[in-house]
């Protein structure tokens, strides 16, 4: 039921200079009125161009609170390849425009600290942040099934063109 939860699969690839990273795992979101619990965890392989590759685990968790439909506040923690961090985020969607202001702060091991601010634009009608979170989660799940759908559409005509569907 997309009104109460979301379960999915995540995978990706990143090229960071001389290092490639591949990851795959699962994600889950649980919606309880104006609170959302977001979790993602899985396996990653870090493959530097010099040296040997390493297999690592990753995990992310956030708790988001919507005190108003246009305000999202969240706290979270992450562990990626043995590096632990915590974060706090705020996002406020402007009433007059389909855009929001974002602020993200992170702290982590080895005196790591980061603060970023930005602007996010939303297209496709009048949404508040609670709608955006739910809709984006559903769209993300639809996109994960897209490669299988494309393969069926590409391979099926060739199968039937052989006119030998019994063997």
């Amino acid at each position: 039921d997309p009104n109460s939860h979301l379960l999915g699969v995540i995978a990706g690839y990143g090229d960071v200079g001389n290092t490639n990273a591949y990851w795959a795992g699962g994600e889950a979101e649980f919606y309880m009125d104006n609170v959302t619990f977001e979790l993602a965890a899985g396996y990653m392989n870090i493959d530097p161009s010099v040296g040997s590759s390493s297999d690592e685990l990753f995990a992310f968790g956030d708790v988001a609170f919507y005190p108003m439909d246009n305000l999202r506040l969240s706290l979270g923690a992450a562990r990626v390849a043995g590096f632990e961090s915590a974060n706090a985020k705020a996002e406020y969607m402007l009433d007059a425009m389909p855009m929001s202001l974002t602020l993200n702060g992170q702290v982590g091991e080895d005196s790591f600290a980061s603060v970023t601010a930005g602007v996010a634009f939303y297209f496709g009608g009048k949404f508040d942040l609670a709608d955006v979170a739910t809709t984006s989660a559903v769209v993300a799940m639809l996109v994960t099934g897209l490669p299988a759908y494309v393969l069926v559409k590409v391979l099926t005509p060739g199968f039937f063109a052989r006119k030998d569907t019994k063997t």
Side-chain angles (χ1 to χ4, degrees):
D1 179 12
N3 291 323
S4 65
H5 65 278
L6 169 79
L7 301 174
V9 176
I10 56 174
Y13 164 78
D15 181 358
V16 184
N18 294 328
T19 302
N20 297 320
Y22 309 88
W23 61 90
E27 70 174 336
E29 292 186 7
F30 301 96
Y31 313 116
M32 303 166 93
D33 292 324
N34 59 346
V35 176
T36 300
F37 297 94
E38 303 163 349
L39 306 166
Y43 157 84
M44 71 185 314
N45 177 268
I46 301 171
D47 187 16
S49 60
V50 177
S52 61
S53 67
S54 64
D55 297 323
E56 304 286 347
L57 298 176
F58 69 88
F60 301 93
D62 284 329
V63 177
F65 174 62
Y66 296 86
M68 304 178 326
D69 286 344
N70 287 350
L71 179 62
R72 180 184 193 271
L73 305 172
S74 68
L75 294 173
R79 180 177 172 89
V80 179
F83 181 81
E84 296 177 349
S85 65
N87 65 65
K89 300 174 190 172
E91 182 173 6
Y92 178 73
M93 181 174 267
L94 303 173
D95 289 328
M97 302 170 83
M99 63 184 276
S100 64
L101 307 174
T102 62
L103 182 64
N104 181 12
Q106 281 185 295
V107 294
E109 295 177 301
D110 301 326
S111 301
F112 170 77
S114 170
V115 175
T116 57
V119 176
F121 294 94
Y122 297 103
F123 300 97
K126 180 68 176 140
F127 287 101
D128 57 39
L129 284 177
D131 295 333
V132 167
T134 304
T135 304
S136 65
V138 171
V139 169
M141 292 313 308
L142 291 173
V143 169
T144 59
L146 189 59
Y149 178 78
V150 169
L151 282 174
V152 168
K153 287 295 189 182
V154 168
L155 298 176
T156 301
F159 174 76
F160 287 107
R162 292 178 48 209
K163 297 183 182 179
D164 182 13
T165 58
K166 291 182 181 181
T167 59

